[in-house]
Amino acid sequence: MHIHLLPLWFFIIQIIPVLGFTDYLLKTCAQSGFCNRHRFYEANIKESKNRYYSVDKSSIEYYKEENTHKYVFKASIIKTIPRPDVNDIKVELPFTLSFFEDLTSLRFTIDEIRTNRLTELLPDFLNTYRYNETWKWAFDSEFNLYNSELTYKESNWLSNDIITIFNEDESLKVELYTNSFLLKVYYDNKLSIVINEEQLLNIEHLRSKEENFQQLLPEESSFNMFGDNFEYSKADSLRFGPESVGLDFSFIGYKNVFGIPEHADSLRLKDTSKTEPYRLFNVDVFEYNVDSKMPTYGTIPLMIAANPTSSIGVFWVNAADTWVDINYKEDKISSHWISENGIVDVVLLFSKSVAGITEQFTTLTGKPQLPLLSAIGYHQCRWNYNDEADVLNVDSEMDKAHIPYDFIWLDIEYADSRQYFTWKPNSFATPKKMLKKLENLGRQLVVLLDPHLKVDYFASDKCIENGVAINDKNNKPYIGHCWPGKAIWIDALNPLGKKIWDGLVTVFVDKVKNLHMWNDMNEPSIFDGPETTAPKDLIHFGGWEHRSVHNIYGLSVHESTYESLKSLKSDRDQRPFLLTRAYYAGSQRSAAVWTGDNVANWDYLRISIPMVLTNNIVGFPFIGADVAGFSGNPEPELLVRWYQAGIWYPFFRAHAHIDSKRREPYLFDEPIKSIVRDLIVLRYALLPTLYTSFYNSYISGSPIMKPMFYEKPEFEEFYDVDDQFYIGDSGLLTKPVVAPEQTTVDMKFAPGIYYDYFTLDHFVIKGNSVIEKTIETPLEKSAVFIEGGHILTRKDRYRRSSQLTKYDAYTLLISPNLNGFANGILYVDDGISFEYQNGQYVVSNFTFQDNKITNKVIHSPDELAYDGNMSISKIIIPIGSGKVKYSNVATVKMNSNKIVVNVSISDDKKSIIINNPSLSIDTDWELIL
Ligand code: NOJ
């Protein structure tokens, strides 16, 4: 067995609480062989103007595949390496292009035909193809893959040979220039994106070390092609030598690009010509740097270019270590994508709006799950609650302090010697009893379940016996170090591995209803591994090197856990709740995520907002940051400000490092305790509105924390705003304070009328442009507004948990716009089961117009099994705008009945109130003021 010597930084991570990330653990682009080489190539190819790639016209095929009925365009790209005096070397790179049915999008791939002569030299257990299965993990299995009909025509135009390909309805036109491999895509008759415009297509073909010198292009460097000289990855065998892929995409006429999480950086992506590129490589980055392009825990390789009237998405379907350079130019933005291996597999999405891109992307990769209602309540976590008494004490202290919460969490220490699927005998001697007590109070428990399994206990033994541990480069179970000491890692890419994992989860959960899971450290984090993760030459199921599948490993683990929990349906008919740290495109289907190990300081509070916003626009809205910072001890002011922001995170969890002081909110001194309690109570009051946003997201992929430019794309001023945001379609607009001693914030408003959420005072922004306004934010108050035109739904009564609000009635808050109009949707289901998939839910559409409120039920089943309260106990309408006409009675029309209800004026005279109007959300009615 391989004995690992632990480097110094292992002890730094483990023992000494340091503040700040240890940069030297991660490669820079210059230290990464393939990134370095592609940047080198970029500089040289631009100078030399040489062309090495072209399309072999005689290879073109265009047909409908018989078994799949897919229309495919195929051709061979030829890479030609000129050789003096002898024959040029030609490498064949198969190219395919196809269009997706029902989406305005296309997909193309570039692979490599590898010669047997070279692959035969490699060990038998290795898969010698380029990895081409990332899409199988990323795409939603339900989605019908490309089926649209293609048409194409060849033309000779000037000196270039061009093939023109249309999709079925001709909304997309692709020109393939064969002489130098160039793709131009026209959307809506406008040139939108050019691929390989900068000639950065660079496929490092398979070659032996010996012949490498003959196969290098003059523009290429051979830096670290067959060996890695980075301090922590020198042992990488790099058996395939260089095999990276690079390509450029130019967004024509665009000025803004977004996406490619996860980075602790601005929402609008930055130019990288003079900095590091953005890196996409899932890693454990304790106290990661802020305002940085360094990689963090997750990857969604979707870049979105957005203009007021059009938008493009580039989805780079590759799971290997990836770097992205961005260059803003006068009339376009160029991006350069570089991956360590795998094929080029790209989906291009086109729409008139950025919302259209998110929608199409989540049609392809799956809609975000509709979570348990309780899961969007407040989560109380800490590393660690020590024992059963501690858990139950936190639970009752929360109640005593009237602080609602739904989930309490157990970090690694609940398990016996950090052996997951066990409980620490003395501290958690009767876990089922504890869980039952929590269940009786309507509460849920989450336990941590990492993919590393300590060696020599039943779970790891089982994986080894069944050959489902990730293997080392010699194809023997890999042993590395993580929390339990020496450990193996489950290979969840292996179908049998999933089965074994499923068995372990099923036995552990043992039908308990309120037990949920947290997959942490699944990048995977390996303390003695290179860059704190897996050596790239480990072997997975199918003979694939870890290098090829790195960024989907976390997804494979959490999806496997989700499927196990879901399969317990006969014992617990409920949606699983699962938190993951590592993620990839597609993770939104089954997990929530958080932004990892932040620090209790103002910078991390500030950066949490663009981080959460970015994930929201690329289809993964169920995200939050640790409130109020994982490591360190937040001062009272920071605590308050963090909760003021945190109540808007779609995933709202307080978490703290083992070395930090206890900070459950009931421990805070007054007035901090009351301020924080009121904030959590506010989150609970708004759960109907938030849950409706989750429903919208489940239907269309739409963001829950929504950037300004996304809501108001017509205003150029909003494209670089990432410190204020909307909540779904609710009209709620906020800008959290993210700096100390800041008793005002400057907020940007589009024309319209805005109501202060707390006082219902209003102001009007006139004209046609965005105006900045200073808003008072004393510690106890944050800047929260409702934009006129919206109707919010709340449950105003304090309850200990979301479950206990079931029999409470709704409040409607109607905020008319300057035309006296408002509208809002409410989604209601049982909040627990999958019955919504069988139509067991209600959607109501409330409208306020001409002094009349109307409810139109958009969906309701013939018989609703859910017996929650559907009545409306209060309607509030602010009247400051002068647009609302009212008297002291109003008439309600429902089912051909007419009744009269009283209208009163609030004590502060700012709104009218209709108490107990005898209305319910699941019937049509009209209320005439
Ligand atoms: C790392 C996670 O990011 C953190 O939230 C957790 O508390 C520790 N692992 C211990 O499990």
Side-chain angles (χ1 to χ4, degrees):
M1 195 174 294
H2 195 88
I3 306 289
H4 293 268
L5 290 177
L6 301 180
L8 178 64
W9 54 263
F10 171 75
F11 296 98
I12 294 175
I13 291 180
Q14 294 299 292
I15 297 155
I16 311 166
V18 277
L19 286 189
F21 181 70
T22 30
D23 283 304
Y24 60 85
L25 293 180
L26 288 181
K27 288 176 180 175
T28 59
C29 174
Q31 289 166 324
S32 151
F34 70 97
C35 187
N36 181 319
R37 298 196 296 270
H38 280 264
R39 272 192 163 181
F40 185 90
Y41 183 76
E42 175 174 5
N44 291 333
I45 198 85
K46 279 185 181 161
E47 286 282 300
S48 77
K49 303 224 164 22
N50 285 333
R51 300 288 175 258
Y52 300 105
Y53 295 86
S54 60
V55 177
D56 171 7
K57 284 186 71 179
S58 70
S59 70
I60 289 174
E61 288 177 76
Y62 161 71
Y63 60 92
K64 185 173 179 175
E65 278 179 0
E66 254 177 41
N67 47 348
T68 61
H69 304 288
K70 293 172 192 166
Y71 292 90
V72 190
F73 176 94
K74 282 190 178 173
S76 292
I77 299 173
I78 305 297
K79 175 179 181 183
T80 305
I81 299 134
R83 299 285 317 281
D85 309 329
V86 279
N87 286 345
D88 292 346
I89 295 169
K90 304 240 178 223
V91 182
E92 190 182 340
L93 307 168
F95 169 80
T96 70
L97 188 142
S98 44
F99 292 94
F100 286 110
E101 191 179 41
D102 300 333
L103 300 181
T104 315
S105 67
L106 62 94
R107 179 182 185 190
F108 68 88
T109 60
I110 305 174
D111 202 343
E112 173 193 359
I113 300 205
R114 288 181 161 173
T115 63
N116 293 340
R117 180 179 57 82
L118 289 168
T119 54
E120 272 163 12
L121 301 174
L122 293 162
D124 282 350
F125 56 76
L126 268 189
N127 194 322
T128 53
Y129 289 95
R130 282 180 176 268
Y131 185 66
N132 63 357
E133 293 182 2
T134 303
W135 68 274
K136 289 190 182 166
W137 293 92
F139 294 3
D140 187 20
S141 55
E142 308 269 297
F143 184 67
N144 187 10
L145 283 179
Y146 37 85
N147 212 359
S148 305
E149 192 155 358
L150 297 171
T151 49
Y152 90 111
K153 63 179 186 208
E154 276 176 66
S155 61
N156 258 314
W157 178 68
L158 299 177
S159 60
N160 269 323
D161 284 22
I162 307 169
I163 318 268
T164 310
I165 309 158
F166 299 95
N167 67 344
E168 209 173 353
D169 64 6
E170 300 200 5
S171 53
L172 287 180
K173 180 175 93 173
V174 182
E175 285 174 358
L176 168 62
Y177 289 64
T178 54
N179 282 354
S180 62
F181 183 72
L182 183 81
L183 286 171
K184 289 187 178 178
V185 187
Y186 298 78
Y187 168 59
D188 245 6
N189 296 318
K190 237 175 53 205
L191 179 61
S192 298
I193 188 164
V194 183
I195 293 118
N196 204 27
E197 186 177 42
E198 314 264 318
Q199 293 294 317
L200 303 184
L201 174 65
N202 181 10
I203 310 278
E204 294 184 323
H205 63 280
L206 191 69
R207 79 288 299 262
S208 70
K209 195 172 177 181
E210 294 65 41
E211 65 200 11
N212 189 32
F213 76 100
Q214 312 164 332
Q215 308 223 351
L216 270 186
L217 296 169
E219 289 82 0
E220 279 185 300
S221 119
S222 61
F223 175 69
N224 276 358
M225 276 185 157
F226 293 88
D228 188 345
N229 71 357
F230 182 66
E231 181 66 25
Y232 304 109
S233 46
K234 286 187 174 143
D236 188 352
S237 53
L238 280 163
R239 277 172 163 139
F240 290 87
E243 50 170 352
S244 67
V245 296
L247 187 58
D248 65 270
F249 298 81
S250 295
F251 302 97
I252 310 300
Y254 283 83
K255 293 189 187 143
N256 309 287
V257 277
F258 305 91
I260 56 167
E262 184 180 35
H263 303 97
D265 207 6
S266 54
L267 173 67
R268 182 174 182 268
L269 297 169
K270 294 189 175 122
D271 189 288
T272 60
S273 5
K274 296 195 174 65
T275 66
E276 284 291 292
Y278 288 93
R279 186 175 179 196
L280 293 166
F281 186 57
N282 297 355
V283 263
D284 182 353
V285 278
F286 180 64
E287 300 176 347
Y288 47 84
N289 298 330
V290 300
D291 303 312
S292 163
K293 299 173 187 73
M294 68 183 275
T296 65
Y297 309 91
T299 294
I300 299 183
L302 172 70
M303 184 181 284
I304 302 177
N307 269 350
T309 54
S310 63
S311 194
I312 305 177
V314 170
F315 177 23
W316 179 262
V317 194
N318 185 305
D321 188 0
T322 296
W323 302 75
V324 187
D325 263 322
I326 295 169
N327 194 347
Y328 284 87
K329 298 179 175 155
E330 209 160 289
D331 51 352
K332 64 183 166 199
I333 302 167
S334 311
S335 59
H336 181 193
W337 297 67
I338 307 162
S339 285
E340 182 167 14
N341 72 347
I343 62 165
V344 173
D345 186 351
V346 176
V347 177
L348 301 176
L349 305 147
F350 300 85
S351 177
K352 299 220 180 344
S353 69
V354 62
I357 299 296
T358 317
E359 168 132 35
Q360 291 190 57
F361 181 66
T362 52
T363 299
L364 181 62
T365 59
K367 297 295 174 216
Q369 62 177 318
L370 181 64
L372 291 168
L373 173 65
S374 53
I376 65 170
Y378 176 59
H379 297 250
Q380 185 61 51
C381 184
R382 155 167 201 95
W383 179 15
N384 222 93
Y385 292 121
N386 302 324
D387 49 30
E388 291 175 358
D390 195 4
V391 169
L392 296 172
N393 180 53
V394 171
D395 180 77
S396 71
E397 290 296 330
M398 293 291 279
D399 287 349
K400 278 191 218 153
H402 292 115
I403 302 169
Y405 91 98
D406 272 85
F407 276 69
I408 188 157
W409 291 57
L410 288 175
D411 208 313
I412 30 174
E413 317 299 349
Y414 76 94
D416 185 14
S417 309
R418 297 174 173 178
Q419 299 174 130
Y420 315 114
F421 307 110
T422 70
W423 296 90
K424 197 177 262 173
N426 295 330
S427 320
F428 293 93
T430 54
K432 277 201 168 169
K433 261 197 194 158
M434 172 185 70
L435 278 150
K436 194 76 208 163
K437 280 190 189 157
L438 290 171
E439 191 192 337
N440 292 341
L441 297 161
R443 300 244 155 84
Q444 318 289 320
L445 181 80
V446 179
V447 295
L448 182 137
L449 178 59
D450 286 352
H452 55 253
L453 300 170
K454 189 177 162 79
V455 293
D456 296 334
Y457 90 107
F458 68 87
S460 51
D461 289 349
K462 201 159 192 176
C463 291
I464 293 181
E465 277 157 29
N466 286 283
V468 299
I470 303 179
N471 280 343
D472 64 15
K473 61 180 168 201
N474 299 317
N475 216 26
K476 299 277 174 304
Y478 168 76
I479 313 268
H481 271 83
C482 207
W483 294 128
K486 278 190 198 170
I488 58 122
W489 273 260
I490 178 81
D491 186 4
L493 282 97
N494 184 338
L496 182 60
K498 286 173 86 167
K499 223 169 148 185
I500 303 285
W501 192 251
D502 177 52
L504 292 165
V505 172
T506 308
V507 171
F508 182 71
V509 174
D510 196 17
K511 303 182 186 164
V512 173
K513 287 208 169 61
N514 53 338
L515 183 57
H516 307 269
M517 299 287 173
W518 171 13
N519 289 152
D520 188 17
M521 313 292 275
N522 53 345
E523 296 73 25
S525 173
I526 302 183
F527 294 153
D528 57 343
E531 304 192 89
T532 335
T533 188
K536 286 175 169 171
D537 53 7
L538 299 190
I539 315 288
H540 287 262
F541 174 74
W544 298 113
E545 275 198 315
H546 181 76
R547 191 185 324 278
S548 313
V549 298
H550 177 82
N551 285 339
I552 52 170
Y553 176 70
L555 165 68
S556 76
V557 171
H558 78 72
E559 209 158 73
S560 180
T561 313
Y562 177 85
E563 280 162 21
S564 306
L565 294 174
K566 199 171 168 187
S567 68
L568 302 172
K569 216 175 154 197
S570 53
D571 296 318
R572 28 180 267 164
D573 182 17
Q574 57 173 286
R575 308 163 206 168
F577 171 79
L578 182 73
L579 182 75
T580 182
R581 192 169 72 177
Y583 60 93
Y584 192 74
S587 285
Q588 74 275 6
R589 298 184 296 253
S590 56
V593 67
W594 90 109
T595 62
D597 296 346
N598 58 2
V599 181
N601 75 35
W602 294 96
D603 276 339
Y604 287 84
L605 167 58
R606 170 176 60 80
I607 212 68
S608 73
I609 293 170
M611 289 178 86
V612 171
L613 289 173
T614 295
N615 266 67
N616 268 263
I617 65 171
V618 296
F620 199 176
F622 201 10
I623 178 169
D626 283 347
V627 181
F630 178 57
S631 37
N633 296 304
E635 67 270 24
E637 185 190 2
L638 178 61
L639 269 174
V640 169
R641 295 305 192 189
W642 211 314
Y643 273 92
Q644 285 173 346
I647 59 163
W648 306 113
Y649 297 152
F651 173 59
F652 177 32
R653 181 183 76 152
H655 183 34
H657 189 276
I658 197 162
D659 295 331
S660 62
K661 294 197 193 115
R662 293 293 280 240
R663 44 169 135 114
E664 290 65 45
Y666 54 80
L667 296 173
F668 304 159
D669 292 334
E670 289 293 3
I672 307 305
K673 178 162 132 185
S674 297
I675 298 174
V676 168
R677 183 202 53 223
D678 291 351
L679 286 163
I680 301 175
V681 167
L682 169 61
R683 166 87 175 200
Y684 273 76
L686 286 168
L687 283 185
T689 295
L690 276 166
Y691 194 51
T692 302
S693 298
F694 272 91
Y695 168 72
N696 287 336
S697 203
Y698 159 70
I699 294 298
S700 68
S702 58
I704 294 167
M705 240 171 87
K706 192 193 274 181
M708 297 303 291
F709 83 89
Y710 202 102
E711 177 78 5
K712 309 238 172 249
E714 65 274 30
F715 295 103
E716 302 263 0
E717 297 90 326
F718 284 142
Y719 282 77
D720 61 357
V721 173
D722 59 9
D723 52 5
Q724 60 176 73
F725 51 87
Y726 282 91
I727 296 298
D729 294 338
S730 68
L732 281 164
L733 170 62
T734 185
K735 174 166 174 170
V737 171
V738 294
E741 293 166 26
Q742 205 184 328
T743 52
T744 60
V745 291
D746 292 335
M747 256 178 107
K748 290 186 174 139
F749 296 91
I753 176 169
Y754 295 85
Y755 300 85
D756 181 308
Y757 180 80
F758 303 101
T759 64
L760 295 183
D761 283 332
H762 74 279
F763 59 83
V764 172
I765 304 288
K766 295 197 183 115
N768 300 316
S769 47
V770 170
I771 305 277
E772 197 164 79
K773 223 177 130 53
T774 302
I775 310 295
E776 300 289 321
T777 51
L779 187 61
E780 66 283 1
K781 190 169 182 289
S782 53
V784 184
F785 295 92
I786 314 168
E787 184 180 4
H790 295 88
I791 301 182
L792 293 184
T793 331
R794 302 194 302 222
K795 287 196 173 187
D796 282 337
R797 185 156 180 178
Y798 156 75
R799 295 287 182 183
R800 284 175 290 151
S801 71
S802 68
Q803 210 166 306
L804 301 174
T805 64
K806 180 173 174 187
Y807 298 110
D808 293 341
Y810 293 91
T811 296
L812 293 191
L813 172 57
I814 300 178
S815 310
N817 68 13
L818 289 169
N819 299 319
F821 174 86
N823 185 262
I825 298 276
L826 174 67
Y827 171 83
V828 177
D829 67 12
D830 65 18
I832 299 172
S833 75
F834 282 98
E835 281 305 303
Y836 63 92
Q837 292 176 351
N838 300 323
Q840 282 291 330
Y841 62 91
V842 174
V843 180
S844 306
N845 184 359
F846 305 110
T847 307
F848 180 69
Q849 193 164 21
D850 302 328
N851 290 297
K852 187 165 81 183
I853 314 167
T854 317
N855 182 30
K856 180 103 200 67
V857 179
I858 299 176
H859 176 90
S860 175
D862 291 342
E863 226 168 284
L864 184 68
Y866 174 61
D867 65 344
N869 193 343
M870 293 284 174
S871 61
I872 296 168
S873 58
K874 196 175 191 176
I875 298 175
I876 306 171
I877 315 177
I879 49 178
S881 65
K883 297 282 171 193
V884 181
K885 303 275 174 291
Y886 59 94
S887 67
N888 51 4
V889 287
T891 312
V892 171
K893 284 194 201 165
M894 190 169 40
N895 302 330
S896 70
N897 292 333
K898 260 193 192 178
I899 53 165
V900 172
V901 293
N902 288 330
V903 178
S904 52
I905 303 250
S906 63
D907 294 344
D908 60 10
K909 311 258 182 300
K910 288 181 192 156
S911 42
I912 55 169
I913 296 178
I914 306 168
N915 278 311
N916 300 316
S918 312
L919 295 171
S920 82
I921 58 160
D922 57 348
T923 34
D924 291 354
W925 46 259
E926 273 180 17
L927 186 151
I928 302 143
L929 283 181

